[in-house]
Amino acid sequence: TVDEKDLANAYYISATDFSNLGGWTLDSAGYLFGSHGSPDGAPGSVPGGDPATIEFSIKQDGTYKVWTLARDYASNSPGSRYYNAGVDGVMEPEKMGTHGKDGFFWQEVGVYELTQGKHTISVFDTSGYYARCQGFLVTDDIVNAPSENVEDVIKKYSANAVKASIPDSQFPYWATQPMQEREVISLE
């Protein structure tokens, strides 16, 4: 499993990191929560509205596998609360949230050739029926599945995730230099 070795190129991206929620809402438990709409069945339609998106950065060119933590229910309409996901604007056909187990479990989104730099993950609420997404793991380990001990994976790889909503601070030269006090004015 992924947690058996250190990966320099693994990133966990939480639902709370998403800067653009699209038609999704962020649940108080920290996951993306889909809408309850009525799918019209038109090809390419997205019942839950616009996709949620996040930009992330890859440090090194390579082949990466993307996993998502998707919620399903074993005995309450299993497989009906699904969504689709994709990288760099391409929605994968595989439905997430269809694993048939009770809770959040990893499902493979796809394998991608990614270059160093910025990329985007999109989450499409294609079921329009309360889909739930906890996050994504982007890893250069394309052989092993992530550990089912989700909390360990999150702790281990969250530090590598790049939150695009918080840009690096760049101060002008003058703002980094020591300042001399010239005059003190007291206002009363």
Side-chain angles (χ1 to χ4, degrees):
T1 62
V2 169
D3 65 341
E4 292 174 352
K5 67 176 186 163
D6 286 329
L7 298 173
N9 293 309
Y11 312 87
Y12 177 74
I13 301 167
S14 170
T16 60
D17 295 332
F18 275 70
S19 54
N20 174 14
L21 295 178
W24 295 79
T25 57
L26 191 60
D27 184 85
S28 60
Y31 54 79
L32 292 174
F33 188 73
S35 67
H36 179 26
S38 31
D40 62 11
S45 67
V46 181
D50 292 335
T53 59
I54 186 165
E55 196 173 73
F56 66 101
S57 292
I58 290 293
K59 295 177 186 173
Q60 183 177 346
D61 293 359
T63 304
Y64 291 84
K65 186 176 277 191
V66 177
W67 297 87
T68 186
L69 272 172
R71 175 81 161 114
D72 199 2
Y73 295 84
S75 59
N76 183 0
S77 301
S80 62
R81 298 167 187 89
Y82 59 85
Y83 60 91
N84 292 66
V87 174
D88 293 336
V90 178
M91 182 174 82
E92 295 295 338
E94 182 70 28
K95 295 175 182 175
M96 306 295 126
T98 57
H99 49 73
K101 298 181 262 185
D102 201 30
F104 284 97
F105 287 90
W106 295 109
Q107 285 189 265
E108 181 182 330
V109 175
V111 177
Y112 304 89
E113 290 296 323
L114 299 178
T115 57
Q116 178 183 4
K118 295 187 180 207
H119 297 274
T120 304
I121 290 179
S122 300
V123 189
F124 303 88
D125 181 12
T126 47
S127 71
Y129 186 62
Y130 306 116
R132 293 163 177 90
C133 171
Q134 188 174 342
F136 290 86
L137 181 68
V138 180
T139 177
D140 63 355
D141 184 342
I142 60 168
V143 176
N144 298 300
S147 169
E148 289 190 20
N149 187 338
V150 172
E151 291 305 315
D152 283 352
V153 174
I154 291 171
K155 282 182 201 171
K156 191 167 188 175
Y157 300 114
S158 288
N160 289 334
V162 176
K163 295 177 178 72
S165 60
I166 305 173
D168 291 337
S169 296
Q170 295 290 326
F171 294 102
Y173 174 78
W174 64 266
T176 62
Q177 301 305 304
M179 302 284 292
Q180 285 186 329
E181 195 174 294
R182 292 189 180 186
E183 183 178 348
V184 176
I185 299 174
S186 188
L187 298 174
E188 295 183 28

